[in-house]
């Protein structure tokens, strides 16, 4: 477990819009219309996701844009981390296509690495509380930091 990768999932509606644009672009390409290439490029936008990647071995992190499993982003040195916080929240994604717009919310548990008082790096997101605490304890052990359980009304140090 040297790298921790957090990627927001592509909502199903966004995936469906992307698939529809890709099929439409592909059908235009096969009929000889090069405008289909542009439509396929637009479809790629619907398949991308964002997140972060942390390399605990080299103590570096980066904010990533991910296309089809390929991660792009510039590596930075990991600052001196004070603690890892585990808390429940909701993750909202807005899906837009032409004049239609939809907000998709999911209940998640997030792990944030806090440094310099209140600055944070989102390190991991899951829907399982056990998975979140397992990952938080592993990160805390590797980075020699404490874990703050903020999933309850009264936060407590573990």
């Amino acid at each position: 477990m040297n790298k921790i990768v957090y990627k927001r999932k592509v909502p199903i509606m966004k995936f469906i819009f992307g698939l529809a644009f890709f099929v439409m672009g592909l059908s235009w390409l096969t009929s000889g219309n090069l405008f289909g290439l542009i439509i396929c490029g637009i479809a790629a936008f619907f398949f991308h996701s964002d997140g972060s990647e942390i390399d605990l071995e080299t103590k570096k992190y980066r904010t990533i844009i991910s296309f089809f499993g390929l991660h792009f982003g510039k590596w930075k040195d990991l600052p001196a981390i004070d603690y890892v916080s585990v808390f429940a929240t909701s993750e909202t994604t807005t899906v837009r296509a032409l004049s239609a717009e939809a907000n998709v919310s999911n209940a998640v548990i997030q792990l944030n690495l806090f440094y310099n008082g209140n600055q944070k790096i989102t390190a991991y997101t899951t829907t399982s509380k056990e998975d979140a605490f397992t990952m938080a304890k592993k990160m805390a052990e590797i980075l020699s930091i404490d874990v703050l359980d903020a999933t309850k009304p009264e936060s407590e140090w573990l």
Side-chain angles (χ1 to χ4, degrees):
M1 188 205 86
N2 293 335
K3 285 190 181 178
I4 300 169
V5 178
Y6 154 66
K7 285 189 321 186
R8 291 189 348 157
K9 292 188 182 197
V10 176
I12 190 73
M13 287 303 295
K14 189 174 178 183
F15 182 80
I16 290 170
F17 282 128
L19 193 60
F21 273 107
F22 184 75
V23 169
M24 186 172 62
L26 203 58
S27 68
W28 283 357
L29 270 174
T30 56
S31 66
N33 189 342
L34 291 180
F35 185 66
L37 193 59
I38 294 171
I39 298 299
C40 286
I42 291 171
F45 167 76
F46 286 96
F47 294 121
H48 92 281
S49 64
D50 60 348
S52 65
E53 183 175 11
I54 300 171
D55 189 338
L56 297 171
E57 189 174 296
T58 62
K59 306 274 191 205
K60 294 193 178 277
Y61 79 101
R62 66 180 175 171
T63 302
I64 60 171
I65 299 288
S66 180
F67 284 100
F68 304 109
L70 300 173
H71 306 306
F72 302 96
K74 185 178 178 182
W75 287 101
K76 301 174 192 170
D77 290 328
L78 193 63
I81 304 297
D82 299 326
Y83 62 94
V84 59
S85 172
V86 181
F87 70 100
T89 186
S90 64
E91 188 174 64
T92 303
T93 304
T94 302
V95 180
R96 293 182 184 96
L98 302 174
S99 63
E101 182 177 306
N103 288 325
V104 180
S105 292
N106 297 320
V108 295
I109 298 174
Q110 242 179 25
L111 274 66
N112 286 330
L113 300 174
F114 279 88
Y115 64 99
N116 290 342
N118 63 352
Q119 294 181 320
K120 67 177 177 152
I121 299 169
T122 302
Y124 191 70
T125 299
T126 183
T127 55
S128 165
K129 199 170 186 178
E130 293 107 24
D131 182 34
F133 281 105
T134 300
M135 184 62 72
K137 288 174 185 174
K138 285 180 184 177
M139 289 182 354
E141 182 180 323
I142 292 170
L143 297 173
S144 300
I145 55 175
D146 294 323
V147 177
L148 178 65
D149 179 0
T151 59
K152 304 170 188 169
E154 289 292 321
S155 298
E156 66 178 289
W157 295 98
L158 302 181

